Each structure stands twice: as C-alpha cells, then as structure tokens.
Amino acid sequence: MEMLLQQCPCSGGKGSPLLLLAVVAGVWLLASWIKRVLKKKGDTLMNKIAKVVIVVVLIAAVIIVIAVKRNQSGKDADAATDAISIGPVAVGQVPAEYKPENLVGKGLPALIDIGAGTCIPCKLMAPILEELKKELAGRLVVQFLDLNKYPGVAKIYDIRVMPTQIFYDASGKELFRHEAFYSKEDILSQWKDFGVDLAGGQLQSPTFERLVPAKIDDRPKDAICYMCDGDINPKTLVTVQTDKGPVRLCSPHCYFIMYSCLTEDKAGFEKRVSVTDWAADKLMPAASAIYLYALDSGTGRPTVKAFADTEKARAEQGTSGGNIIDWKMLQGKELAARCGFCDRVVYPEDAAVVRAAGVYTWGCCSHCALGVAARTGLDIEVNEHDRLTGEEIVVKTLNGSVAPLEPATAVAWFGQRMKPDGTWGSAGCFHQGFFVNAENLKKWVEQNPYETGRLISINQALADKMNLSPQQIQKACKIGECAPK
Ligand SMILES: [Zn+2]
Ligand SMILES: [Zn+2]
C-alpha cells in the first residue's frame, strides 16, 4: 500500500540556513566597504553614524531573511492549523463503517472529518469533534476517519489535503467541504448557513421529575416481590434461601430473573428454592414439583403453576390448557431468552425487540435495549412500546447517536432511587420505560405512586450507555445488581 504524506513545509526548507549565511556575509562586506570609505575621509562623526547604519542594516537583513523564509513556506504563519497535502494513495482495505454509504444519508446530517492522528491540525480538530459528537447526539453524525489506519479513505472521499471536513445533508448529499483546521464556531455557523437547525428538537424536550414518591410504600415487606416490587400472589410465591436470608419472589419467572443475575457458583442452587403448590397453597422444593406451563391468550406471556400432585396438575390443565413439564424443562424455557445488554432472562412478550446487524435480541427494559448498541458497537433498531398505552416506539441508532425517532416526541423515564449514601442511582430495569410523549409519561408516573426518577431524552438514555467503559459494560452483563443484599 502506497501512502505519501507530504512533509508539512513549515518544518523548514534545507536552503534556509545557507540563505541566512549569504545575506549576513553580504551585509558584512557592505558594512566593511562603507567603513573603509569613511575611514579614508577621517570623519569621526560620520564614522559614528556609519556604525548605527550598519546595525540598522543588519537588523533589516535578519527581518528580510525571516520574511523570505515565511513566504517560501506559503501561508504557514499559522502552520499549526494549516492543511497538509496528500500524495497518491491506493484504496487498500477500508472498513465498511468508514464508507460513505454507511455513514451518511441515514436521515441525519453528517460531518465527516478526514485526517490522521499524527498531523497537528488534525489533533487540534479532535476535541472539537468530541464536543460536537456529544452535544449534537441524535442530531448530527460526527465521525473522524483516520488516514494513518486506512489511507484508502483519501481516495474514497477524493480528498487532497488533511484535515478535510465534509458536510452532508440528511439525505447524504454533499453540501460543502473545507480543508485545514476548522473551528467549532465556524462549523456551527456553516451548518446554520445551510439551514440545518442543530439546536432544536430533542434538546428542548420538557423537563419533568419526581424525586419523592407520591405515596409511601407501606405494603408489608413479605408481600412485595424482591425482583419486580410487584404484589406477591400467595399461590405463585417462590422463596430462595440465601446467605443473606430468605428472598420472596412473586413467581417462578422473577426467580429465574434473579438466577440469571447471580455471579456466584450456581451448582445445586435449586436446592435453595421452594415453590408454592397451586392446589394446596403450600411451599415445596422447586426441583421435585411439576409445572403446568401455558400461554396467556391475551398477552401471549407464559403462565407457570407448580404442583406437587400430577393428578391435580392434569385437572387444572383440563380447564386452562398448557403442557405439564418438569423443573429442568421449565428452567430451559425460562433461561432461553436473554437481555442483549445485561443478560437477564426475559419473556420476549415483555421485552423491547432489538435488531443488531440482522440478528434479533431483546432489551429487558428500554434502557437495556439501547445498551445493546454500546455492548456490540453496532447500529441497532429498537422496537419498544409505550408503558402506558402500548403504542409502538422505534429507535434507530447510527454511530452511537439516535437517528430519527418514531414518533419524534418519544421520551424516556429514567427510574432512579436515592441510595443510602444520598446519591441517585438507577431504580433497576423494572422501573424504566419509553413513552410516545411526555404527557403519557406523566400519566404513567401518576398511576405509579411509588416511582421516582426523571424524564430524559432518548438521546440521553443512549448517551448514558455509550459513555460506559468496556469494564462497566462487562459488569452490567453480570452486574449482580439483582442478587440478594
Ligand atoms: Zn416479581
Ligand atoms: Zn437488561
């Protein structure tokens, strides 16, 4: 692969020291000649004037040399922000994500900056691009393409110097290109000149928060599911003996959610689990029960009832339908579908559907669904439902930003709780959600008096995930957040 980056001329031509020497020598000869002439005349006053003239001539000579040198290197008075020419390059390997068809024309305007990590003006561009990327998430695609890594980018985008910034409209049409360093102010005013409004839209989404629950949760602790905070139906209660005491769960499904979050060695874990016999309302070891596994005709969600006695299970099957399975088979079904971000088990009927590179996965909550973009590094499409009305919300991401939202008014609820140390943390996956608009969100919050948190833009929800470090993402997949404390 051939890549000729011309030396930045500001680093100095080889002729410069010679030129300086020649000028100094010339001035010195001239000065000596004047001195000799004046000495012959023996005029001491003139001699003094001559000395001053010589000094002035010398200073002028030095200034001339510097000016000549600057002229020689073109306009490099601002060398640090100058563009650098690029010689002929071969296309070579350019990854798909660097190609225009994957960066522009995806419904958002785009700013593509092409340069190299080693070039000074390119380095000066880097923090500006970072700022624009963060501040305009969801409104502008900002991407730096590194010629050091992929020289062929120069050919694909037909650029002659670096850095070059190319402006594209939302349909992918090139609007403008600029060569050399380009300030943030100039970039923003350039977009303005093209009539692209980068300040509007999502930024002005209404703010709303509720940091104190509308009602104190005074339900007895025993009646609340450890996982979902829902009411426990005594007929489907599951208990788990843990090192930190017994944990009570509303259903086998909430048990499997907890199980999928545990980071400890889970060999023989089922010995700690008891389920409630649907027929006798009595606890019994989970592994020895049989289960009537049916699908709710309205929601399509599985319903799971445990039985100690096969005859009783058959009788129930006669009225509610379904299949009789054992603990192992139930476990296999329950653990099959996972959140693509945090790895918790989900019922697909409850989850957000996530498509990444043609592969489908789920988000156990809407925020986790966005986290799939962070975990995989891929552009994703999320299909989620308004928690109040069930209306569909589609979120597409592009290079870590939200591409146009359907509907554009959609917002996210970030369920938060105050931690014992006084700081605010996530209230967990059961307390998050998307809504088609802020009004629906407010109504839902009113209907759920225990919820605390705030309205955030879907851009923000995505940015929160994209800003996680790989270590944090790794931890989120086995965060242990749901393990008994
Ligand atoms: Zn539950
Ligand atoms: Zn999740």
Side-chain angles (χ1 to χ4, degrees):
M1 198 183 300
E2 183 194 6
M3 175 73 185
L4 298 171
L5 282 185
Q6 277 182 12
Q7 270 295 319
C8 179
C10 55
S11 55
K14 276 179 190 159
S16 302
L18 284 177
L19 180 70
L20 185 66
L21 264 178
V23 172
V24 170
V27 169
W28 182 75
L29 283 172
L30 181 71
S32 308
W33 176 76
I34 292 170
K35 222 173 162 184
R36 269 206 310 276
V37 170
L38 289 172
K39 242 184 190 165
K40 272 183 194 164
K41 291 193 170 178
D43 189 336
T44 50
L45 176 69
M46 281 304 284
N47 204 355
K48 271 180 192 163
I49 292 169
K51 275 181 184 163
V52 173
V53 170
I54 289 163
V55 170
V56 170
V57 168
L58 263 174
I59 291 169
V62 169
I63 290 168
I64 289 166
V65 168
I66 290 170
V68 166
K69 192 172 169 273
R70 285 201 172 195
N71 242 351
Q72 215 181 25
S73 51
K75 33 177 189 157
D76 71 341
D78 290 314
T81 58
D82 226 1
I84 300 170
S85 308
I86 301 167
V89 293
V91 171
Q93 285 290 319
V94 172
E97 66 267 25
Y98 269 40
K99 293 186 176 162
E101 60 267 32
N102 293 319
L103 282 171
V104 306
K106 303 275 180 169
L108 280 186
L111 172 70
I112 309 298
D113 178 71
I114 299 168
T118 48
C119 113
I120 294 166
C122 306
K123 280 187 195 164
L124 293 174
M125 290 298 299
I128 293 175
L129 296 172
E130 269 319 298
E131 278 177 40
L132 289 171
K133 200 169 194 166
K134 277 202 177 135
E135 289 165 16
L136 300 175
R139 280 165 285 150
L140 177 71
V141 173
V142 180
Q143 186 68 45
F144 168 68
L145 305 183
D146 193 341
L147 285 168
N148 271 0
K149 279 194 201 152
Y150 305 104
V153 162
K155 198 153 200 169
I156 289 179
Y157 288 87
D158 190 25
I159 66 157
R160 304 172 300 133
V161 299
M162 62 184 190
T164 292
Q165 300 85 30
I166 313 178
F167 291 56
Y168 296 92
D169 72 8
S171 72
K173 194 182 111 199
E174 183 176 330
L175 297 171
F176 170 71
R177 55 176 67 197
H178 175 268
E179 293 170 346
F181 174 82
Y182 209 24
S183 76
K184 188 177 172 186
E185 291 67 35
D186 289 341
I187 291 172
L188 290 173
S189 86
Q190 190 63 64
W191 280 116
K192 219 172 170 187
D193 289 350
F194 286 124
V196 178
D197 177 23
L198 295 170
Q202 286 272 319
L203 264 194
Q204 283 139 21
S205 58
T207 53
F208 173 76
E209 61 184 23
R210 182 167 76 193
L211 302 179
V212 178
K215 216 170 119 185
I216 298 300
D217 190 353
D218 53 6
R219 295 174 293 170
K221 209 171 164 254
D222 271 8
I224 305 171
C225 174
Y226 177 82
M227 273 319 304
C228 71
D229 291 321
D231 294 331
I232 292 177
N233 174 354
K235 289 184 89 66
T236 54
L237 166 71
V238 176
T239 65
V240 183
Q241 298 305 320
T242 75
D243 305 337
K244 287 158 193 142
V247 166
R248 293 164 68 85
L249 300 154
C250 70
S251 60
H253 184 52
C254 268
Y255 160 71
F256 285 110
I257 293 175
M258 183 184 121
Y259 179 83
S260 65
C261 297
L262 297 175
T263 49
E264 64 200 73
D265 178 15
K266 290 186 274 196
F269 195 83
E270 67 273 9
K271 291 193 195 105
R272 307 178 183 196
V273 187
S274 300
V275 295
T276 306
D277 180 353
W278 181 267
D281 294 344
K282 254 179 27 200
L283 282 169
M284 61 176 296
S288 60
I290 55 163
Y291 297 87
L292 180 61
Y293 185 91
L295 298 181
D296 181 278
S297 59
T299 62
R301 286 177 99 243
T303 57
V304 179
K305 295 168 184 169
F307 292 89
D309 185 291
T310 311
E311 287 314 307
K312 296 265 164 56
R314 292 239 165 86
E316 181 68 18
Q317 187 184 25
T319 58
S320 65
N323 295 296
I324 294 171
I325 57 177
D326 67 7
W327 173 253
K328 277 246 135 56
M329 205 178 281
L330 177 67
Q331 176 157 310
K333 283 182 177 297
E334 286 279 347
L335 299 183
R338 300 294 190 109
C339 173
F341 177 67
C342 78
D343 215 27
R344 278 161 62 143
V345 305
V346 298
Y347 282 163
E349 295 77 14
D350 301 339
V353 177
V354 184
R355 195 165 63 109
V359 176
Y360 284 88
T361 179
W362 295 278
C364 71
C365 70
S366 34
H367 295 236
C368 270
L370 298 177
V372 176
R375 187 175 173 184
T376 62
L378 296 168
D379 292 334
I380 62 167
E381 182 176 325
V382 174
N383 280 261
E384 176 61 304
H385 293 93
D386 183 300
R387 279 198 81 170
L388 184 77
T389 61
E391 287 163 89
E392 194 171 41
I393 296 160
V394 181
V395 184
K396 289 181 188 147
T397 74
L398 185 63
N399 300 307
S401 300
V402 175
L405 212 50
E406 295 167 39
T409 51
V411 289
W413 172 252
F414 181 25
Q416 289 179 294
R417 272 185 200 153
M418 197 190 275
K419 294 191 278 191
D421 66 1
T423 61
W424 286 84
S426 168
C429 289
F430 284 100
H431 304 277
Q432 315 300 336
F434 286 172
F435 297 85
V436 294
N437 55 42
E439 283 61 50
N440 278 15
L441 178 146
K442 288 175 194 169
K443 272 186 218 156
W444 177 83
V445 171
E446 257 168 50
Q447 290 175 12
N448 291 274
Y450 308 138
E451 297 292 346
T452 50
R454 62 191 86 226
L455 180 156
I456 62 172
S457 70
I458 292 179
N459 283 325
Q460 185 60 54
L462 176 64
D464 289 347
K465 293 287 187 241
M466 297 308 293
N467 288 336
L468 295 174
S469 68
Q471 290 76 18
Q472 287 170 313
I473 292 173
Q474 192 64 32
K475 207 177 142 219
C477 301
K478 278 274 165 270
I479 201 158
E481 151 182 285
C482 310
K485 290 172 201 85

